[in-house]
Amino acid sequence: MNRAKTILSSLRVTNSYISNQLRNTTRAPYSQVTQFSRLSPYIPNKSYCSSHLINTHQKLFFSSTPNSVVELIVANEWSTELENELDNSNLGWTHERAIYVLKKLDKNPQKASGFFNWVCEKDGFRPSSSIYSLMLRILVQNDMKQFWITLKKMKEQGFYIDEETYLTMSAQLKKEKMASDVAALSHFYNRMLQENAMDGVVKEVVNVVVGQEWGEKVEKRLVELIVDLSDTFVIRVLKELRNYPSKAWSFFQWVGQSPGYEHNTVTYNGAARVLGGDDSIREFWSVVEKMKGAGHELDIDNYIKISRTFRKKKMVEDAVKLYEFMMDGPYKPSLQDCSMLLRSISASENPDLDLVFRVARKYESMGHTLSKAVYDGIHRSLTKAGSFDEAEKIVNVMRNAGYEPDNLTYSQLVFGLCKARRLEEACKVLVDMEEDGCTPDIKTWTILIQGYCAAGEVDNALICFAKMIEKNCNADADLLDVLINGFLGQQKIEGAYSLLVEMVKKARLRPWQATYKSLIEKLLVARKLEEAFDLLRLMKKQNYPPYPDPFVPYISKFGTVEDAAEFLKALSVKDYPSSSAYLHVFKSFFREGRYSEAKDLLFKCPHHIRKHHEVCKLFGSAESSPATS
């Protein structure tokens, strides 16, 4: 039994209700499906759902969960009555809980602002630079008046904006062409760094830490430099040490052992953010474990950023481990996080199915039924890994859960079959799709045609292309790029050229600029200058910028003066190209030692080019050169 089947058979029903639903269902082929993964292959009935709905405010605050607070705020206008209900919830307002609620309200700036102002006034709640920064990121997109009020309050209370938040907000304001606000924000940012974040001391501390190996000498110097250890100061130093994670880790540990100072949720989260990279993953998990042991949680905003970093750096196993960690805590990631994580796993050449089912099991174990996006995420990895029997079973499970396969589902299967070079089966999938009432779209056809091109079967790719056109599915630039690359991969350069020209002139298609460029380069390698000129003219008609790079060295080495003149004419959207274009061609002729051709071309140039200062200087130096005497 292969690895995938072992994984699948190891999955179990999460509760007796699901088991009963599986036994009671009559939809075929369920006898086969129940031997599979048991990944929520059911839809709870309406009475079951309604018995679990929360319909009153009383139930909302008695549930005492962060989500219930969000639901309560979303359902009501901000008022004294709402504040009283929040007070009656008896929730202790920690940094992590406030971050979670704000993150959930980020599309509703007025309610986010109401909650933020309320929670910051609560006894025992300590605002932080990170919670202010999150609030500002919400406000900058919707409410500039409240944005400036909050920013001023932030500065007065001794906090500062971190560089990442500042750059994000500045970019947003520049995009909206709010130049005066950009300037004002820059002023605030620099003042806050100097006054609140002790910028001068921070820089000295960082220089000391980075400048030598950690030891007693460094620690002694830090004691001399640091008069006051505040959360803001610690976070600032950690962020400045983000490119030196081992140094950041040493500083974090030293700070935690300093007399009179104890790490809190803010500094733990700050350290986790800095250490969340591939070269400090051990230290990251150490911080997370220490944080959990001290009774703190990784906040959801931090989780999203760290998870994104893990996925970007292909640290998928750590991303899954972090997802499981968060799902076991009070601040659970969203459905979108589950889907993105599954997509990241499937992005590898050979997806790790262990990780796929760890994510799905964890999501399901929280009482969630799997969505179409999650089923597709599992199916994507199975098909890419070549586990087609298991992929078929997950589709059956998905159907029993009420989700019919669509173009995305079928496209994933087509991709997997093409990857496995099972091209005839991939073709049959499109037939099956139509029989099931699902019309293949351009993406599905493109995947199939790309599969044939990757296998070197360009003729069959063209047959598929013809079938697609017969079924009134119009080609797009993506598909044309696939076909052109398929032709070029088989050294069928003339065929690629003919196809592109035909699709532009008859189908009025606008190819990608990259498609034009790659084909032009191949045509010049094959000494087909006229065809390359044709493409340059087509690019001009379709308002693409000129692409002179491969033409100039080719013409200066192999071309004639007439070729050079034709090139310069095709290059410009005006009567004449720029003087720099002429200079580029002249210099290239000179480099090839073709001085007479350069002179002949000069005589064909317009008067203003012949009299141009740089041109005269170039030809004057050529006249005085020993090579031309």
Side-chain angles (χ1 to χ4, degrees):
M1 183 178 288
N2 62 30
R3 185 182 60 147
K5 291 182 178 178
T6 302
I7 297 164
L8 296 171
S9 64
S10 71
L11 296 172
R12 295 291 181 263
V13 177
T14 57
N15 57 53
S16 59
Y17 177 78
I18 299 177
S19 299
N20 291 333
Q21 291 296 312
L22 287 170
R23 285 194 290 271
N24 293 337
T25 186
T26 58
R27 182 177 177 116
Y30 223 75
S31 59
Q32 179 186 22
V33 172
T34 54
Q35 301 303 313
F36 179 50
S37 68
R38 315 301 182 104
L39 292 169
S40 298
Y42 71 101
I43 306 174
N45 58 48
K46 290 183 180 178
S47 62
Y48 176 83
C49 290
S50 61
S51 69
H52 286 69
L53 290 176
I54 302 171
N55 297 316
T56 67
H57 294 166
Q58 188 74 13
K59 288 181 181 177
L60 280 171
F61 63 70
F62 271 133
S63 67
S64 296
T65 65
N67 269 330
S68 69
V69 172
V70 174
E71 292 172 33
L72 183 61
I73 294 172
V74 168
N76 295 275
E77 292 301 317
W78 199 269
S79 63
T80 303
E81 183 182 358
L82 175 59
E83 291 181 0
N84 290 337
E85 292 207 45
L86 289 172
D87 285 330
N88 291 338
S89 67
N90 295 320
L91 282 172
W93 285 104
T94 62
H95 165 89
E96 306 97 309
R97 185 167 287 139
I99 288 278
Y100 184 84
V101 173
L102 279 177
K103 197 68 183 172
K104 290 290 184 179
L105 296 172
D106 64 356
K107 303 298 185 223
N108 197 328
Q110 288 186 328
K111 292 190 174 180
S113 185
F115 168 75
F116 173 81
N117 292 328
W118 172 80
V119 78
C120 285
E121 298 299 322
K122 297 298 293 175
D123 290 338
F125 181 77
R126 295 173 59 188
S128 65
S129 293
S130 54
I131 204 166
Y132 264 107
S133 293
L134 175 57
M135 188 67 240
L136 290 173
R137 292 204 308 269
I138 295 170
L139 292 172
V140 76
Q141 301 187 54
N142 299 280
D143 190 340
M144 288 307 296
K145 181 180 178 181
Q146 194 60 41
F147 172 84
W148 289 113
I149 291 171
T150 304
L151 184 59
K152 183 180 178 184
K153 186 177 177 182
M154 180 182 187
K155 182 180 181 299
E156 289 171 351
Q157 291 189 359
F159 299 113
Y160 83 103
I161 308 169
D162 63 75
E163 184 182 22
E164 183 182 5
T165 299
Y166 165 69
L167 292 174
T168 299
M169 295 191 302
S170 183
Q172 174 69 24
L173 295 174
K174 286 176 183 175
K175 182 181 176 183
E176 299 297 326
K177 299 183 179 178
M178 301 167 70
S180 59
D181 290 278
V182 172
L185 177 62
S186 175
H187 174 75
F188 261 93
Y189 173 67
N190 290 319
R191 288 283 301 276
M192 290 164 91
L193 283 183
Q194 292 168 9
E195 298 172 15
N196 297 351
M198 301 170 64
D199 196 47
V201 180
V202 167
K203 287 177 179 175
E204 283 192 73
V205 167
V206 170
N207 286 337
V208 168
V209 173
V210 172
Q212 52 193 303
E213 289 297 315
W214 191 276
E216 289 184 12
K217 189 176 179 182
V218 170
E219 292 178 358
K220 184 179 178 182
R221 181 60 181 143
L222 292 181
V223 171
E224 294 171 356
L225 285 171
I226 303 171
V227 177
D228 179 31
L229 265 177
S230 66
D231 298 347
T232 299
F233 179 81
V234 172
I235 294 298
R236 178 92 169 88
V237 173
L238 286 172
K239 288 191 175 179
E240 289 299 312
L241 292 171
R242 61 189 175 275
N243 295 326
Y244 309 92
S246 63
K247 305 277 190 180
W249 173 237
S250 296
F251 176 77
F252 179 78
Q253 289 180 299
W254 175 79
V255 167
Q257 296 164 2
S258 298
Y261 187 83
E262 185 177 346
H263 282 304
N264 56 40
T265 185
V266 174
T267 55
Y268 273 118
N269 270 278
R273 177 81 177 95
V274 169
L275 296 171
D278 51 357
D279 51 355
S280 54
I281 193 64
R282 245 162 140 197
E283 290 84 356
F284 168 79
W285 287 113
S286 292
V287 167
V288 169
E289 287 167 13
K290 286 177 181 288
M291 177 167 54
K292 191 74 175 175
H296 305 299
E297 303 286 346
L298 188 69
D299 72 57
I300 194 68
D301 191 45
N302 221 7
Y303 162 74
I304 291 169
K305 291 173 181 175
I306 295 169
S307 181
R308 188 186 301 132
T309 298
F310 284 169
R311 297 196 306 271
K312 185 178 179 181
K313 293 187 174 182
K314 296 182 171 46
M315 299 166 63
V316 185
E317 190 167 354
D318 287 292
V320 170
K321 185 178 175 182
L322 185 61
Y323 176 79
E324 292 170 323
F325 174 83
M326 291 297 289
M327 288 294 276
D328 286 335
Y331 310 111
K332 304 184 192 311
S334 67
L335 167 62
Q336 287 74 22
D337 288 291
C338 178
S339 299
M340 284 191 293
L341 190 49
L342 289 172
R343 182 173 289 277
S344 295
I345 298 169
S346 68
S348 64
E349 186 63 25
N350 294 296
D352 188 330
L353 299 181
D354 293 315
L355 297 180
V356 171
F357 288 106
R358 274 173 61 182
V359 172
R361 275 187 309 222
K362 180 55 68 175
Y363 183 79
E364 192 182 29
S365 71
M366 296 295 111
H368 303 304
T369 54
L370 303 191
S371 68
K372 173 68 163 57
V374 174
Y375 280 119
D376 278 329
I378 299 167
H379 183 256
R380 186 183 298 111
S381 284
L382 288 169
T383 52
K384 195 169 183 182
S387 299
F388 298 110
D389 291 341
E390 289 77 13
E392 184 178 356
K393 290 174 185 177
I394 198 69
V395 170
N396 288 331
V397 174
M398 186 175 76
R399 275 196 171 106
N400 288 319
Y403 303 110
E404 288 297 321
D406 56 15
N407 261 292
L408 175 61
T409 315
Y410 285 115
S411 292
Q412 290 175 174
L413 177 56
V414 172
F415 178 87
L417 289 168
C418 288
K419 182 173 180 277
R421 294 292 192 264
R422 293 162 64 170
L423 298 170
E424 289 185 14
E425 293 173 68
C427 270
K428 189 176 182 303
V429 170
L430 274 73
V431 177
D432 295 339
M433 284 178 70
E434 292 190 287
E435 290 177 355
D436 289 342
C438 182
T439 303
D441 61 12
I442 183 62
K443 184 175 181 180
T444 311
W445 280 107
T446 300
I447 291 170
L448 177 61
I449 290 168
Q450 188 169 32
Y452 273 112
C453 289
E457 298 184 26
V458 177
D459 291 341
N460 284 329
L462 283 176
I463 292 171
C464 288
F465 179 60
K467 287 180 182 176
M468 185 195 87
I469 299 299
E470 285 175 9
K471 294 180 179 293
N472 296 317
C473 184
N474 294 323
D476 63 6
D478 276 329
L479 177 53
L480 180 60
D481 189 63
V482 165
L483 282 167
I484 294 298
N485 286 328
F487 273 98
L488 296 180
Q490 296 294 303
Q491 302 302 312
K492 297 183 178 181
I493 298 169
E494 290 183 5
Y497 165 77
S498 299
L499 176 63
L500 186 142
V501 171
E502 184 176 359
M503 293 304 294
V504 170
K505 292 184 175 178
K506 294 186 178 178
R508 301 189 182 281
L509 194 64
R510 189 172 189 259
W512 296 124
Q513 186 180 11
T515 308
Y516 273 121
K517 286 182 174 182
S518 61
L519 185 49
I520 284 172
E521 289 167 4
K522 293 291 185 181
L523 285 167
L524 291 176
V525 169
R527 302 286 186 90
K528 295 185 179 297
L529 181 61
E530 284 305 316
E531 289 84 348
F533 277 155
D534 285 343
L535 297 191
L536 191 63
R537 296 184 193 100
L538 284 178
M539 288 182 75
K540 185 166 68 172
K541 286 181 181 177
Q542 295 189 323
N543 296 319
Y544 281 120
Y547 183 49
D549 298 1
F551 284 95
V552 175
Y554 176 89
I555 291 172
S556 63
K557 193 169 186 176
F558 305 112
T560 64
V561 173
E562 288 71 24
D563 292 333
E566 184 66 23
F567 162 69
L568 289 163
K569 182 180 177 183
L571 195 61
S572 177
V573 294
K574 303 176 184 177
D575 292 335
Y576 301 104
S578 66
S579 56
S580 61
Y582 282 96
L583 271 168
H584 190 31
V585 175
F586 290 140
K587 287 178 180 179
S588 190
F589 269 125
F590 282 8
R591 280 193 295 271
E592 294 295 333
R594 300 180 70 187
Y595 305 110
S596 61
E597 285 85 350
K599 286 182 180 179
D600 289 344
L601 177 61
L602 180 63
F603 292 138
K604 291 179 177 287
C605 290
H607 181 266
H608 73 281
I609 295 296
R610 294 200 302 271
K611 297 299 181 183
H612 190 275
H613 171 69
E614 289 296 324
V615 174
C616 292
K617 183 178 176 183
L618 177 67
F619 279 90
S621 64
E623 290 291 344
S624 61
S625 170
T628 60
S629 58

